[in-house]
Amino acid sequence: MNFPERFSNLPAYAFPRLRALLDHHDPGGDVVHMTIGEPKHDFPQWVTDVIMENAAGFRGYPDNNGIPELRGAIADWIGRRYGVQMDADTQVMALNGTREGLYNAAMALCPEVKNGQKPVILCPNPFYQVYMVAALSVAAEPVFVPATASTGHLPDYAGLPDDVLNRTTAAYICSPANPQGAVASRDYWADLIQLAERFDFRIFADECYSEIYRDEAPVGVLSVAQELGADPERITLFNSLSKRSNLAGLRSGLIAGGPETIARVKQLRAYSGAPLPMPLQMAAARVWADEAHVVENRRLYQEKYAIADQVMTSVQGYQSPKAGFFLWLPVDDGEQAALKLWQETGVRVLPGAYLAQGEPGQNPGETYIRVAMVAPKTELQRGLETLRDCIYG
């Protein structure tokens, strides 16, 4: 039996690598899971009621692009959040989680050739793994651009040579950044948009952590693009209810962009998409329309930021995140630190190298561990104190 070569060299995904590293060792204490960014706060109680009220909708095939109620709620939320008016019929589409959209956007929008050469798709490094496989799927060259302390933990795409930028068809950017919690400023977005216009590439803006922040709401790419009068087809926004509303399992994501952009993604999704069942779409519409639970969710994370700051105050190199719910902690070696922590204490964290690309000595994540602040506050504090004493004591 023959198998294709196109994905044969993909590295193992982060969590299978973590299991291979840790699971043949016994934990050194009560297990504290701090690896996966799976929100644990309560979602609105009425979500279940909405699903039950619309349960008859499970009999029918769901709307592939999102029912009008859901698309309308998403467009309204974008208007409230970013001050940008989007047409719910032509500029917004519902997704089955943002990973699907981040992948399909490359499939639907990236050309086969750029300036007569093999195209490039830019990715921050560290990065969300779907960016890389999307690039490979369209036979583009993924170019991993370090997002390190020296660059403010955001990629310096403008620093790339012209021969790379001339082949670039799209640039993925995550703000607030996973795993570092860095936030793109208005100037950063403006510079990136101007770079994209100069070299004629698209911006795929992954803003899934935009509603979890400390003090000031992160500026969004759509707001800056509107101020600059940028071509709406150049900017594609992705977001979801997973982090905003603690509803990762509901799989309600969004994609928003110019009419031609959305039309092309719709065309592809008509053949390959997996839409949300109608009762879940009805629930998602209600959740996108409600902000009270988002404010409460943010308050809980702000308390967790304060716990982390108090526990880690003595750790050299500690940087408190501006947004998101991860700590990006400096260590000598991420794999060794994660293994030591597991064997001696039972606290489970993710080596930063598993979220990045690069040979040893050149992987920007190898001297970090990622710690998810999703556990209840008491468990979180115990886990962070144990981690601090084991790794930094």
Side-chain angles (χ1 to χ4, degrees):
M1 180 68 69
N2 291 324
F3 292 94
E5 294 294 322
R6 66 179 68 93
F7 300 127
S8 60
N9 293 323
L10 282 180
Y13 202 69
F15 295 106
R17 290 179 71 183
L18 181 68
R19 291 192 290 271
L21 176 70
L22 302 184
D23 284 2
H24 58 284
H25 300 281
D26 293 329
D30 293 337
V31 175
V32 181
H33 291 283
M34 307 184 82
T35 57
I36 301 177
E38 183 178 68
K40 302 298 183 185
H41 298 164
D42 291 336
F43 56 79
Q45 295 182 358
W46 40 259
V47 169
T48 304
D49 295 334
V50 176
I51 294 172
M52 293 299 295
E53 290 165 5
N54 293 276
F58 282 119
R59 284 197 297 264
Y61 289 114
D63 189 315
N64 202 53
N65 301 322
I67 58 175
E69 294 90 340
L70 177 53
R71 286 185 282 106
I74 290 171
D76 289 346
W77 178 78
I78 290 173
R80 294 193 309 273
R81 177 62 174 82
Y82 300 113
V84 177
Q85 301 306 310
M86 308 290 281
D87 185 274
D89 292 327
T90 63
Q91 291 186 270
V92 166
M93 192 170 69
L95 299 173
N96 193 333
T98 51
R99 178 158 57 177
E100 173 225 334
L102 290 161
Y103 181 84
N104 278 337
M107 297 291 288
L109 301 172
C110 290
E112 294 82 359
V113 176
K114 176 74 181 292
N115 291 327
Q117 300 177 78
K118 182 174 182 176
V120 159
I121 292 181
L122 305 180
C123 304
N125 196 20
F127 61 98
Y128 186 30
Q129 304 297 296
V130 72
Y131 306 162
M132 176 178 68
V133 78
L136 296 175
S137 295
V138 296
E141 177 188 351
V143 171
F144 302 100
V145 182
T148 63
S150 65
T151 65
H153 291 296
L154 293 169
D156 178 16
Y157 290 147
L160 292 169
D162 284 4
D163 66 315
V164 172
L165 292 169
N166 280 324
R167 293 193 292 130
T168 297
T169 59
Y172 284 101
I173 181 71
C174 184
S175 175
N178 170 13
Q180 309 97 319
V183 173
S185 66
R186 191 172 300 274
D187 286 346
Y188 183 94
W189 281 127
D191 289 345
L192 180 58
I193 291 168
Q194 290 163 0
L195 187 73
E197 290 181 331
R198 177 184 170 194
F199 289 96
D200 191 24
F201 63 81
R202 297 175 179 272
I203 297 170
F204 292 157
D206 179 355
E207 297 190 25
C208 286
Y209 295 87
S210 66
E211 305 313 289
I212 302 173
Y213 53 85
R214 303 191 75 136
D215 303 312
E216 185 177 351
V219 65
V221 67
L222 291 182
S223 302
V224 182
Q226 179 172 263
E227 290 176 10
L228 296 178
D231 181 353
E233 304 294 347
R234 194 167 301 285
I235 315 296
T236 310
L237 173 72
F238 304 85
N239 212 315
S240 82
L241 295 180
S242 296
K243 281 74 177 178
R244 171 190 182 269
S245 302
N246 306 301
L247 283 165
L250 190 65
R251 310 312 301 139
S252 179
L254 71 85
I255 180 173
E260 181 65 19
T261 293
I262 298 304
R264 287 177 176 269
V265 176
K266 280 182 180 179
Q267 183 182 31
L268 174 64
R269 200 166 190 272
Y271 289 90
S272 63
L276 289 177
M278 192 278 282
L280 303 188
Q281 293 196 43
M282 290 298 294
R286 282 280 305 276
V287 178
W288 280 111
D290 182 73
E291 290 295 329
H293 75 281
V294 184
V295 173
E296 172 60 14
N297 186 46
R298 190 158 50 241
R299 183 188 68 81
L300 294 174
Y301 279 115
Q302 288 166 347
E303 292 179 351
K304 292 180 177 183
Y305 293 139
I307 291 171
D309 289 350
Q310 185 272 321
V311 172
M312 296 293 168
T313 185
S314 62
V315 173
Q316 186 175 4
Y318 169 70
Q319 288 190 337
S320 186
K322 292 182 178 180
F325 50 54
F326 295 114
L327 300 182
W328 189 236
L329 299 179
V331 294
D332 291 334
D333 182 285
E335 279 194 329
Q336 290 180 12
L339 183 58
K340 172 182 171 69
L341 195 59
W342 175 249
Q343 289 181 294
E344 295 185 9
T345 73
V347 174
R348 197 173 179 96
V349 299
L350 188 67
Y354 294 2
L355 299 168
Q357 282 285 98
E359 298 298 321
Q362 298 179 331
N363 184 314
E366 66 186 1
T367 56
Y368 289 89
I369 53 175
R370 191 187 78 172
V371 181
M373 298 192 294
V374 295
K377 286 185 293 183
T378 300
E379 183 180 353
L380 173 72
Q381 181 156 355
R382 176 169 64 88
L384 291 179
E385 290 174 347
T386 302
L387 183 159
R388 177 199 61 198
D389 296 343
C390 178
I391 301 300
Y392 304 104

